[in-house]
Coordinates of all heavy atoms in Angstrom, one line a residue:
V12 N -173.2 67.5 116.1 CA -173.1 66.6 117.2 C -174.4 65.8 117.3 O -175.5 66.2 116.8 CB -172.9 67.4 118.5 CG1 -174.1 68.3 118.8 CG2 -172.6 66.5 119.7
Q13 N -174.3 64.6 117.8 CA -175.4 63.7 117.9 C -176.3 64.1 119.1 O -175.7 64.7 120.1 CB -175.0 62.3 118.0 CG -174.5 61.7 116.8 CD -174.2 60.2 116.9 OE1 -174.0 59.7 118.0 NE2 -174.3 59.5 115.8
A14 N -177.5 63.8 119.1 CA -178.4 64.1 120.2 C -177.8 63.4 121.5 O -177.3 62.3 121.4 CB -179.8 63.6 120.0
G15 N -177.9 64.2 122.6 CA -177.3 63.7 123.8 C -175.8 64.1 124.0 O -175.3 64.0 125.1
G16 N -175.2 64.6 123.0 CA -173.8 65.0 123.1 C -173.7 66.4 123.7 O -174.6 67.1 124.1
S17 N -172.4 66.9 123.6 CA -172.1 68.2 124.2 C -171.2 69.0 123.3 O -170.5 68.5 122.4 CB -171.3 68.0 125.5 OG -172.1 67.3 126.5
L18 N -171.3 70.3 123.4 CA -170.5 71.3 122.7 C -170.2 72.4 123.7 O -171.0 72.8 124.5 CB -171.1 71.8 121.4 CG -171.1 71.0 120.2 CD1 -171.9 71.7 119.1 CD2 -169.7 70.7 119.7
R38 N -180.0 82.4 120.0 CA -180.0 81.5 118.9 C -181.1 81.7 117.9 O -182.2 82.3 118.3 CB -180.0 80.0 119.4 CG -181.3 79.6 120.0 CD -181.2 78.2 120.6 NE -182.4 77.7 121.3 CZ -182.5 76.6 121.9 NH1 -181.4 75.8 122.1 NH2 -183.7 76.3 122.5
R67 N -179.4 72.2 131.3 CA -178.5 71.6 130.3 C -177.4 72.5 129.8 O -176.3 72.0 129.5 CB -179.4 71.2 129.1 CG -180.5 70.3 129.4 CD -181.2 69.8 128.1 NE -181.8 70.9 127.4 CZ -181.5 71.2 126.1 NH1 -180.6 70.6 125.4 NH2 -182.2 72.3 125.5
F68 N -177.6 73.8 129.8 CA -176.6 74.7 129.3 C -176.1 75.5 130.5 O -176.8 75.8 131.5 CB -177.2 75.7 128.3 CG -177.6 75.2 127.0 CD1 -177.6 73.8 126.8 CD2 -177.9 76.0 126.0 CE1 -177.9 73.3 125.5 CE2 -178.3 75.5 124.7 CZ -178.3 74.1 124.5
M83 N -172.9 73.4 126.5 CA -174.2 72.8 126.1 C -174.1 71.3 126.2 O -173.3 70.6 125.5 CB -174.5 73.2 124.7 CG -174.5 74.7 124.4 SD -175.1 75.2 122.8 CE -173.9 74.4 121.8
N84 N -174.9 70.8 127.1 CA -174.9 69.3 127.4 C -176.3 68.8 127.0 O -177.3 69.5 126.9 CB -174.6 69.0 128.9 CG -173.2 69.5 129.3 OD1 -172.3 69.5 128.5 ND2 -173.1 69.8 130.5
S85 N -176.4 67.5 126.9 CA -177.7 66.8 126.6 C -178.4 67.5 125.4 O -179.6 67.8 125.5 CB -178.6 66.8 127.9 OG -177.9 66.2 128.9
L86 N -177.6 67.7 124.4 CA -178.2 68.4 123.2 C -179.3 67.7 122.6 O -179.3 66.4 122.5 CB -177.1 68.7 122.2 CG -176.2 69.9 122.7 CD1 -174.9 69.9 121.9 CD2 -176.9 71.2 122.4
K87 N -180.3 68.4 122.1 CA -181.5 67.9 121.4 C -181.5 68.4 120.0 O -181.0 69.5 119.7 CB -182.7 68.3 122.2 CG -182.7 68.0 123.6 CD -184.0 68.5 124.3 CE -184.0 68.2 125.8 NZ -185.2 68.8 126.5
P88 N -182.2 67.7 119.1 CA -182.3 68.2 117.7 C -182.9 69.6 117.7 O -182.5 70.4 116.8 CB -183.2 67.2 117.1 CG -182.9 65.9 117.8 CD -182.7 66.3 119.2
E89 N -183.8 69.9 118.6 CA -184.4 71.3 118.6 C -183.5 72.4 119.1 O -183.8 73.5 119.0 CB -185.7 71.3 119.5 CG -185.5 70.7 120.9 CD -185.9 69.3 121.0 OE1 -185.6 68.5 120.1 OE2 -186.6 68.9 122.0
D90 N -182.3 72.0 119.5 CA -181.2 73.0 119.8 C -180.5 73.5 118.6 O -179.7 74.4 118.6 CB -180.2 72.4 120.8 CG -180.8 72.2 122.2 OD1 -181.6 73.0 122.6 OD2 -180.5 71.1 122.8
Y94 N -176.0 80.2 116.7 CA -175.8 80.7 118.1 C -175.0 82.0 118.0 O -173.9 82.1 117.4 CB -175.2 79.7 119.0 CG -176.1 78.7 119.5 CD1 -176.6 77.7 118.6 CD2 -176.6 78.7 120.8 CE1 -177.5 76.7 119.0 CE2 -177.5 77.7 121.2 CZ -177.9 76.7 120.3 OH -178.8 75.7 120.7
V119 N -174.7 75.4 115.1 CA -174.8 74.2 115.9 C -175.9 73.3 115.3 O -177.0 73.7 115.1 CB -175.1 74.4 117.4 CG1 -175.4 73.1 118.1 CG2 -174.0 75.2 118.0
V121 N -177.6 69.5 115.6 CA -177.8 68.3 116.5 C -178.6 67.3 115.7 O -179.8 67.5 115.3 CB -178.5 68.7 117.8 CG1 -178.5 67.4 118.7 CG2 -177.8 69.8 118.5
S122 N -178.0 66.2 115.4 CA -178.6 65.1 114.7 C -179.3 64.1 115.6 O -178.9 63.9 116.7 CB -177.6 64.4 113.8 OG -176.7 63.7 114.6

Side-chain angles (χ1 to χ4, degrees):
V12 63
Q13 288 188 332
S17 298
L18 281 175
R38 67 186 181 185
R67 300 188 298 122
F68 290 11
M83 305 185 296
N84 298 329
S85 302
L86 282 161
K87 305 175 181 179
E89 52 263 43
D90 294 318
Y94 283 71
V119 172
V121 185
S122 63

